Amino acid sequence: MQEYKIEVEKRELSSKKSFVKELRSNGHIPGVYYSHDSKESIPFMVTLKNLREALKSDSQVYKINVGGKTRDVIMKTIQYHPITEQILHIDLYGVKMDAKVTVKIPIMFTGQSIGVKEGGVLNQSLTELDIACLPANIPQDIEIDISNLNLGDTLRIEDINLADDLEIVGDSSMLIASVVAPAKQEETTDEDSLEGTETEDLAADDSSEKSESDSE
């Protein structure tokens, strides 16, 4: 397991929006540290540059020094701006390296299913799984080979086989993906539109003839 240290700085809590806005304008992201064995939370700030570098690393567990103590943490939540996708806030969760944690891990499909090759459509119902494991064993993603999925097949949590040190948390019958037939597009005919055009043309001809008759 690779370790990555995130340099954080303890900050004061403030209910003023201008305070947090000023932090961000100065290149800092506000955050809160908390852990499973303490009701105390510690507010901190981290530079956006340092945070981005941490996110680019292959680490799942990070070391921080906050409150005068070095701690092992995982990134519990990251809040993004809904439009600009700018990072607004992070929560770091303190862990014990010998105690299991439950984290959300993204699902990564590999291969191309037989059903899709035959013209089917892959519907993905879940994009991540809740995994319980030791912090050192947290995976980057869960790879699932869908090559053998035929048209009409489904993939559920109970169908997934993981390493012994990983445990899926959740209803085993939950649907992950399915291969379905493509939606049929309703065939549209131009008969009605043609009839309408013909009626309009006839009406136009009658009107023209009447106009010519009147002029005579």
Side-chain angles (χ1 to χ4, degrees):
M1 180 191 69
Q2 293 187 4
E3 289 186 354
Y4 192 98
K5 186 176 181 180
I6 303 178
E7 299 290 343
V8 301
E9 183 180 346
K10 190 174 179 180
R11 65 179 175 88
E12 297 297 326
L13 277 177
S14 175
S15 59
K16 295 181 179 180
K17 291 184 178 180
S18 58
F19 176 77
V20 176
K21 187 176 180 180
E22 185 178 353
L23 276 182
R24 297 191 186 110
S25 64
N26 290 329
H28 290 83
I29 302 299
V32 172
Y33 163 87
Y34 61 100
S35 66
H36 66 287
D37 59 354
S38 175
K39 294 182 179 180
E40 179 188 11
S41 60
I42 302 175
F44 66 87
M45 59 184 179
V46 57
T47 65
L48 179 59
K49 180 177 181 295
N50 190 264
L51 180 57
R52 283 176 174 170
E53 290 173 351
L55 291 172
K56 289 178 181 178
S57 72
D58 293 329
S59 299
Q60 293 293 325
V61 180
Y62 305 88
K63 285 192 176 296
I64 65 170
N65 191 306
V66 64
K69 184 179 179 181
T70 300
R71 309 167 192 265
D72 293 308
V73 301
I74 60 175
M75 291 192 187
K76 196 67 173 178
T77 57
I78 304 176
Q79 181 184 352
Y80 294 89
H81 190 283
I83 298 177
T84 64
E85 296 187 354
Q86 176 189 1
I87 298 176
L88 300 178
H89 188 277
I90 64 168
D91 286 333
L92 297 181
Y93 182 70
V95 297
K96 289 184 176 180
M97 299 307 292
D98 58 354
K100 285 187 175 182
V101 293
T102 300
V103 291
K104 292 186 180 296
I105 304 298
I107 295 172
M108 181 72 68
F109 289 149
T110 61
Q112 185 178 17
S113 77
I114 298 173
V116 171
K117 290 179 180 179
E118 294 176 349
V121 177
L122 178 68
N123 285 340
Q124 185 172 358
S125 302
L126 289 180
T127 58
E128 57 188 12
L129 294 173
D130 289 325
I131 301 294
C133 62
L134 293 176
N137 297 331
I138 297 176
Q140 290 282 345
D141 51 50
I142 300 295
E143 288 191 358
I144 302 177
D145 186 0
I146 59 171
S147 301
N148 293 324
L149 283 184
N150 288 286
L151 193 64
D153 285 351
T154 59
L155 180 69
R156 300 183 183 276
I157 287 181
E158 60 192 1
D159 301 320
I160 305 304
N161 293 318
L162 297 180
D164 294 337
D165 53 13
L166 302 178
E167 176 188 353
I168 300 178
V169 179
D171 184 354
S172 61
S173 65
M174 287 187 66
L175 182 67
I176 296 176
S178 59
V179 180
V180 299
K184 292 183 178 180
Q185 295 182 351
E186 294 184 3
E187 294 183 1
T188 58
T189 62
D190 294 327
E191 293 181 3
D192 294 338
S193 60
L194 287 173
E195 289 176 359
T197 302
E198 290 173 358
T199 302
E200 292 172 0
D201 291 342
L202 289 173
D205 291 341
D206 290 343
S207 176
S208 176
E209 290 176 2
K210 183 178 180 181
S211 298
E212 291 175 359
S213 176
D214 292 343
S215 62
E216 291 176 355

